Amino acid sequence: VPLPDRFLHALATIAGDHHVLTEPDLRAGYETDWTRRYHGSTPAVVRPGSTAEVAAILRLCREHGVPLVPQGGNTGLVGGGVPHNGEVVLSLRRLDAVAAFDPGSGEITAGAGVTLATVQEAVRAQGWNFGVDLASRDSATIGGMVATNAGGIRVLRYGGMRQQILGIEAVLSDGAVLSRMPGLLKDNSGYDLAQLLAGSEGTLAVITAVRLKLVPQQPQRAVALLAVEDISAALRVVSAVRRTMPSLEAAEVFFPEGLELVCRHARLPYPFPATHPCYLLLECAAQGDESAPLAGTLAAIAGIRDSAIATDRPGRDRLWAYRERHTESISVEGIPHKLDVTLPLGRLPEFEHRVRAVISGAEPAARPVLFGHAGDGNLHVNILGLAPDDDRPDDAVLRLVAELGGSISAEHGIGIAKMPWLHLTRSTADREAMRAIKSALDPAGILNPGVVIPRA
Ligand SMILES: Cc1cc2nc3c(=O)[nH]c(=O)nc-3n(C[C@H](O)[C@H](O)[C@H](O)COP(=O)(O)OP(=O)(O)OC[C@H]3O[C@@H](n4cnc5c(N)ncnc54)[C@H](O)[C@@H]3O)c2cc1C
């Protein structure tokens, strides 16, 4: 639906002519998601440069009843950041200033549009690091990462995005600005609005800045890639290393079907002379060299079929590439259906053993590619070879997850991709409470309508 000229004129008055994009070529990159599975169209992309501009845009949208979709780096994997029904796209990427970095306390305030890589670069030189890390670090923004409560490869040690938040600035749908940036480690003064917005996927407020806590930089890193007989063996290794090595930072799992795709598309040699049923990548990080204790711990564990350890940067990157290049290699192969599930650790082997049969039972042509964050019980179930709207295998997998006591979304969120299955793992009371919060904060329903919660 075309927007009235006076609305577009008012948008340009707020953000500047150059920052209201209405030409199809300029809008295109904001209309399709990273996976290419989800796309829509927008009459305009608006790129505010300050919190005050965001607030003015929200007031204007509310006044005209115009819905909008907040968007950061557009690396989300559940279709929640692109316009599906002609919404305006509110791109937060210009809020890209690191407003304050305090090396004494290890805290940083970043605009919503600052990328993860920028935060990492800003703090590492001063002996700090950021607790969350993802392969999409060059594009994913801090605002988007809070909005999706991103997890990633270091949750085992530092928790997800939720655990890094010390304060937040956000704009409500009526243009009111919430600002809780006290720089306090403890603050029990009422409802924690920052935590409420973590994982809200753009449906409750627009995040404009975040105060984050940092973790000490651990300069010495040891990475081990292990071949094991199955996921149960991988979990036994993770448990043994966890108990003896507090420096364990990542425990990632993948399988031969994913390794084949990565080696073919990223043109990498196979890591070991033989193919194995399951691979586990471990990273330990500390102030001193962890390679000898790691090798010692691994030597005492039965069932490791082959292994490689690296401590220098090129060697570590080489081993990590086998895991980190899964997402892009799967996307080069085709447009996957992406399911991102967690299971109680004790049920993960049963899930992994059953899920492939469940997928091929629903659609024999489907090709599952599994990998994930073994330490968190989180598997990414990618399914290639499906028509975009053939949801039968998705349905079968998510029902299996519910049967085994898991969650249909571990870290990517609900977006529009998982919404039809939310009832499988969130009760009626849960969903009603979520709907009540949504109507209280966004009574006109203009913020990312139809995401997480079905339209009223
Ligand atoms: C190669 C690759 C690897 C990945 N690995 C991981 C991983 O290991 N773990 C993981 O959790 N995710 C991973 N992701 C998914 C993705 O990077 C994260 O979900 C990330 O947090 C999205 O950030 P973004 O800035 O790109 O958000 P977008 O994709 O732009 O938006 C995501 C959602 O947040 C909302 N949103 C964005 N910005 C704001 C804001 N300022 N205020 C309010 N709402 C907002 C949007 O409306 C949308 O619903 C990966 C993606 C890729 C492509």
Side-chain angles (χ1 to χ4, degrees):
V1 180
L3 292 171
D5 281 349
R6 66 195 170 90
F7 176 86
L8 287 171
H9 182 71
L11 266 190
T13 306
I14 296 166
D17 281 338
H18 292 318
H19 297 300
V20 179
L21 314 178
T22 52
E23 294 298 315
D25 288 0
L26 299 177
R27 294 179 340 228
Y30 299 86
E31 293 177 326
T32 298
D33 81 324
W34 189 90
T35 69
R36 295 163 288 148
R37 186 175 172 201
Y38 300 101
H39 33 81
S41 75
T42 181
V45 177
V46 57
R47 305 188 305 174
S50 68
T51 303
E53 289 181 13
V54 173
I57 292 166
L58 287 183
R59 277 194 297 273
L60 181 73
C61 285
R62 177 129 166 201
E63 185 190 321
H64 287 261
V66 172
L68 46 87
V69 177
Q71 192 184 91
N74 198 12
T75 66
L77 299 175
V78 288
V82 289
H84 296 282
N85 287 291
E87 296 89 349
V88 164
V89 174
L90 178 69
S91 169
L92 284 313
R93 283 185 226 168
R94 285 183 64 224
L95 304 185
D96 60 356
V98 173
F101 169 37
D102 177 358
S105 61
E107 295 180 12
I108 190 167
T109 301
V114 174
T115 64
L116 170 58
T118 301
V119 169
Q120 291 173 331
E121 265 164 46
V123 304
R124 279 180 182 161
Q126 303 276 346
W128 293 101
N129 205 347
F130 187 56
V132 172
D133 195 12
L134 323 168
S136 50
R137 59 185 73 81
D138 291 325
S139 306
T141 62
I142 292 299
M145 289 174 65
V146 172
T148 56
N149 183 29
I153 53 185
R154 314 228 182 274
V155 171
L156 193 63
R157 187 169 190 180
Y158 300 117
M161 208 54 198
R162 213 179 261 295
Q163 281 76 32
Q164 322 305 321
I165 301 172
L166 292 174
I168 207 157
E169 181 191 80
V171 183
L172 295 176
S173 68
D174 62 358
V177 179
L178 299 178
S179 189
R180 288 296 301 157
M181 300 275 209
L184 300 172
L185 287 178
K186 299 175 106 176
D187 176 14
N188 258 355
S189 55
Y191 298 159
D192 190 332
L193 299 174
Q195 290 296 328
L196 180 63
L197 298 187
S200 63
E201 300 186 50
T203 62
L204 299 182
V206 177
I207 298 158
T208 47
V210 189
R211 183 119 180 129
L212 299 162
K213 76 174 177 198
L214 302 172
V215 298
Q217 167 79 308
Q218 306 288 356
Q220 304 260 16
R221 291 179 177 268
V223 174
L225 181 63
L226 311 174
V228 291
E229 62 196 10
D230 58 16
I231 194 166
S232 300
L235 293 177
R236 280 197 301 276
V237 174
V238 176
S239 170
V241 176
R242 254 182 122 170
R243 264 175 280 148
T244 51
M245 301 196 64
S247 60
L248 181 65
E249 200 155 293
E252 302 284 308
V253 71
F254 53 92
F255 300 90
E257 76 265 357
L259 181 64
E260 188 276 323
L261 284 183
V262 168
C263 290
R264 182 151 51 85
H265 291 301
R267 296 173 194 277
L268 298 178
Y270 277 82
F272 303 119
T275 300
H276 298 276
C278 181
Y279 299 87
L280 176 68
L281 184 139
L282 301 175
E283 180 166 75
C284 291
Q287 297 298 316
D289 184 1
E290 289 290 275
S291 56
L294 179 59
T297 303
L298 295 176
I301 303 172
I304 298 176
R305 294 170 158 214
D306 209 339
S307 64
I309 292 194
T311 50
D312 61 318
R313 183 69 196 257
R316 295 189 331 247
D317 288 352
R318 196 170 47 76
L319 295 182
W320 262 111
Y322 293 112
R323 161 61 185 87
E324 282 221 308
R325 301 196 70 173
H326 265 69
T327 307
E328 66 182 73
S329 300
I330 291 166
S331 277
V332 175
E333 186 78 358
I335 298 182
H337 286 214
K338 295 181 99 56
L339 304 170
D340 155 49
V341 302
T342 20
L343 279 299
L345 274 179
R347 310 297 300 264
L348 197 60
E350 181 183 352
F351 175 77
E352 194 264 329
H353 291 143
R354 288 174 62 190
V355 71
R356 295 166 210 275
V358 158
I359 292 170
S360 55
E363 171 49 67
R367 285 171 56 199
V369 183
L370 271 56
F371 65 95
H373 312 293
D376 312 330
N378 176 191
L379 279 182
H380 297 313
V381 179
N382 291 262
I383 314 175
L384 287 163
L386 295 179
D389 48 9
D390 179 1
D391 281 339
R392 289 168 305 147
D394 308 48
D395 184 68
V397 172
L398 297 178
R399 285 181 189 282
L400 177 63
V401 168
E403 179 195 324
L404 297 178
S407 167
I408 64 161
S409 174
E411 55 177 18
H412 293 165
I414 295 299
I416 60 157
K418 308 293 149 49
M419 206 170 56
W421 293 279
L422 192 57
H423 67 279
L424 288 178
T425 56
R426 298 298 301 260
S427 68
T428 305
D430 282 6
R431 285 178 283 121
E432 285 307 316
M434 288 196 237
R435 194 184 283 284
I437 293 169
K438 167 76 177 169
S439 354
L441 291 188
D442 180 22
I446 59 166
L447 283 174
N448 225 356
V451 165
V452 183
I453 295 167
R455 284 161 198 276

